[in-house]
Amino acid sequence: MNIYETLDLAALLAQNPYPGRGILLGKTDDSTKSVVAYFIMGRSENSRNRVFIGEPDGIRTEAHDPAKLADPSLIIYHPVRQLGRSLIVTNGDQTDTIRDYLEKGMTLEQALRTREFEPDGPNWTPRISGLLAPDGSYKLSILKSADADGSACARYFYEYPGLAGVGHFIHTYVTDGDPIPTFQGEPERVTITGTMEEFTNMVWSNLNEANKISLYVRFTDLATGEYEETVINKNQ
């Protein structure tokens, strides 16, 4: 058993009809750039009625058709926010909680101890979060229900040095279901290869066609801090 094996991200995505929302952080295979990917998927009309919109410090979600927007509480938020040369990536409004704590000199862990999974029983969708440092190291976290009743929150934190050609992928759900089963275990260790365009096309093309909504990808030069980013919206 090779515990350091890296998995094929394309295969992981292609065989999973509903990973939900996903965060990937890592490094390019030449170690010169950090890599960020964040995607959203949806099954309901309300969830599918979204696009990513660029902001000066990242992106936000917005209703594609405002007339069809029902409950915005869990679907409208800023998934990506830059703070200095660090980048926060999450699947909910905990992005702002993390930013506020970091601005006070506190940590991602301290911020997320004030939050818990989403109040959408019986799914109890986990809150997943990532923090990318300027040197390419990163943290990932998942907050999920400790039981089927949503009576308590289990919090998991992972910290990685950033290795050439390696990323870690965490997503909200194991696969589709009713209720939808929560992600289990450590973030998945995956291989990162290719240019930003090749990587972006690989992720988007392997997400389930019926359920995918939007994708954000960013490659950052670790020496200069300069970055390229791209957004794909199914609704555009």
Side-chain angles (χ1 to χ4, degrees):
M1 179 181 182
N2 180 8
I3 62 170
Y4 300 111
E5 178 186 7
T6 54
L7 304 174
D8 182 350
L9 180 60
L12 286 178
L13 295 173
Q15 67 193 15
N16 190 343
Y18 201 62
R21 286 165 277 175
I23 296 172
L24 179 142
L25 301 179
K27 270 187 180 180
T28 54
D29 51 10
D30 62 3
S31 265
T32 63
K33 297 180 176 68
S34 62
V35 176
V36 173
Y38 177 67
F39 64 79
I40 58 174
M41 306 181 81
R43 300 189 305 176
S44 69
E45 182 181 27
N46 198 42
S47 290
R48 291 179 174 180
N49 180 36
R50 287 183 289 173
V51 291
F52 285 165
I53 301 294
E55 288 286 320
D57 65 343
I59 58 170
R60 61 182 168 85
T61 60
E62 182 178 277
H64 174 60
D65 182 351
K68 294 181 179 178
L69 178 64
D71 180 7
S73 60
L74 297 177
I75 66 168
I76 302 300
Y77 56 93
H78 285 75
V80 177
R81 283 193 185 276
Q82 184 165 345
L83 184 63
R85 283 188 60 183
S86 296
L87 198 71
I88 307 162
V89 188
T90 90
N91 72 325
D93 63 11
Q94 73 268 26
T95 309
D96 297 342
T97 304
I98 296 169
R99 179 199 57 184
D100 293 347
Y101 270 69
L102 294 178
E103 286 180 333
K104 296 174 184 176
M106 303 173 80
T107 66
L108 171 135
E109 292 85 350
Q110 288 173 303
L112 291 175
R113 289 189 182 105
T114 71
R115 303 301 304 268
E116 60 178 32
F117 51 88
E118 295 182 355
D120 63 341
N123 295 320
W124 309 121
T125 298
R127 290 191 186 273
I128 55 174
S129 305
L131 178 62
L132 177 66
D135 64 357
S137 63
Y138 50 92
K139 296 180 178 182
L140 287 167
S141 171
I142 184 167
L143 313 181
K144 56 185 181 179
S145 180
D147 60 23
D149 299 324
S151 68
C153 182
R155 296 178 174 87
Y156 302 85
F157 301 97
Y158 306 91
E159 188 167 355
Y160 301 99
L163 299 175
V166 175
H168 287 88
F169 175 43
I170 194 166
H171 40 101
T172 51
Y173 308 123
V174 174
T175 187
D176 207 349
D178 189 19
I180 320 174
T182 294
F183 181 89
Q184 299 294 305
E186 293 184 23
E188 294 160 331
R189 181 183 169 100
V190 299
T191 304
I192 296 177
T193 59
T195 65
M196 178 174 162
E197 182 179 5
E198 290 168 341
F199 178 80
T200 301
N201 289 339
M202 177 273 294
V203 174
W204 185 249
S205 64
N206 283 287
L207 288 169
N208 181 270
E209 184 63 32
N211 294 321
K212 66 185 180 182
I213 301 171
S214 297
L215 169 66
Y216 171 85
V217 173
R218 169 168 161 160
F219 277 38
T220 303
D221 188 296
L222 294 172
T224 66
E226 296 179 356
Y227 61 86
E228 295 179 273
E229 59 185 354
T230 188
V231 166
I232 301 177
N233 289 310
K234 187 176 181 180
N235 286 323
Q236 289 182 342

